Amino acid sequence: MSLIGVYAFEQRALLEVLLVSVGAGLLGTWIVLRGLAFYTHAVAAAAFPGLVLAAGLSFPPMAGALGTGAVVAAGVGGLSTRRRARYDVATALALVGALVVGVVLASNVFHSGAQVDSLLFGSLFALTDTDLVLGAVASILALAGTLALGPRWLAVGFDASGARAVGVRSKAPDLVLLALVGFASVATLAAVGALLATALLVVPAATARLWTNRLLPWQCLSVVLVALEGLAGVWLAVRTNAPPGATVAALGGGVFLLSVFANEILSRNGRENA
């Protein structure tokens, strides 16, 4: 243990949470605003074939996950640029294709091991320096993208037809958003795993949305929620010997449900007093 009474692996987990909180919080608002929650879950879950390849060919698992995530993001972006294709349809097609490839590789070519399982369900207490770097890079890119393209993402998110009418016609900003969400989804694999990525990227932003209608407070509150829920989840996991990724996800879900109930009570009281 360190001088402040916190285990070294716990310190790294806490640092990882703080590093990814900015990116997860900022991108989470755009994910909720643009209806990309399914895509976010899919691009993380579709890392499965990349993880199988990494385990079978003995190269870094995050490299495989990043490669698969890039393919899925490019596939969804390419399909959704067609006139009749929507993000949800393109995402479903890409996700099914990735899972089919992953199952074939795992069953007929390689045998997935504990390394794959840890990235599917998270491994906050076994982080590497690469995991920390990826978390920091994801946050830096999310901040840069928000500052540079946020107004365009906002315009399309609130009124896509109106945005096109005033000249926001390029698909490039949307493709950048898909790429950033895909990268952040893969970067959070080490924290909560492919199957629980939405616990950091979607749930805190959805919770914050219940308390504010303004973008900047929404983004700030989302970042704070990611950090606080992650820190509290790590602390609880160490003291209760529980899986850290699942603990963070459960805590985030609990905060969301409490927020829903609290908002309902406040709304009901407001209507009664009106």
Side-chain angles (χ1 to χ4, degrees):
M1 298 183 68
S2 69
L3 294 177
I4 59 174
V6 179
Y7 293 101
F9 67 84
E10 185 180 359
Q11 290 181 16
R12 293 178 70 84
L14 295 173
L15 177 59
E16 170 73 356
V17 167
L18 293 176
L19 288 175
V20 303
S21 61
V22 174
L26 290 177
L27 290 176
T29 59
W30 300 119
I31 290 167
V32 173
L33 179 64
R34 299 294 300 275
L36 295 175
F38 177 45
Y39 167 77
T40 304
H41 171 74
V43 75
F48 178 54
L51 300 177
V52 174
L53 278 173
L57 300 178
S58 299
F59 62 85
M62 291 305 291
L66 283 171
T68 307
V71 170
V72 172
V76 172
L79 290 174
S80 62
T81 55
R82 299 180 183 276
R83 179 174 298 179
R84 296 182 181 274
R86 297 177 57 188
Y87 283 131
D88 53 354
V89 176
T91 299
L93 293 172
L95 175 60
V96 170
L99 292 179
V100 167
V101 171
V103 170
V104 170
L105 289 174
S107 60
N108 296 336
V109 182
F110 304 112
H111 296 285
S112 60
Q115 192 175 40
V116 173
D117 294 336
S118 67
L119 281 178
L120 285 176
F121 297 100
S123 183
L124 261 174
F125 295 154
L127 296 171
T128 66
D129 292 338
T130 300
D131 298 327
L132 298 176
V133 170
L134 283 176
V137 171
S139 287
I140 292 171
L141 292 178
L143 180 59
T146 297
L147 293 174
L149 299 174
R152 289 178 174 268
W153 294 341
L154 182 63
V156 176
F158 273 112
D159 187 357
S161 299
R164 288 193 294 271
V166 298
V168 183
R169 299 178 180 274
S170 175
K171 290 290 185 180
D174 283 354
L175 296 178
V176 172
L177 178 58
L178 291 179
L180 290 177
V181 172
F183 183 82
S185 299
V186 174
T188 60
L189 289 180
V192 292
L195 301 182
L196 298 173
T198 54
L200 291 180
L201 289 166
V202 178
V203 177
T207 303
R209 184 65 178 86
L210 296 171
W211 297 105
T212 180
N213 293 319
R214 299 175 59 189
L215 181 61
L216 183 58
W218 182 15
Q219 291 174 328
C220 293
L221 183 55
S222 296
V223 171
V224 171
L225 279 177
V226 174
L228 291 180
E229 291 173 1
L231 294 175
V234 170
W235 186 87
L236 284 173
V238 173
R239 274 77 193 168
T240 62
N241 197 28
T247 303
V248 172
L251 187 60
V255 173
F256 175 78
L257 290 177
L258 289 175
S259 296
V260 171
F261 292 144
N263 267 268
E264 179 62 25
I265 293 173
L266 292 174
S267 298
R268 185 177 305 173
N269 290 338
R271 290 192 298 268
E272 292 176 353
N273 294 330

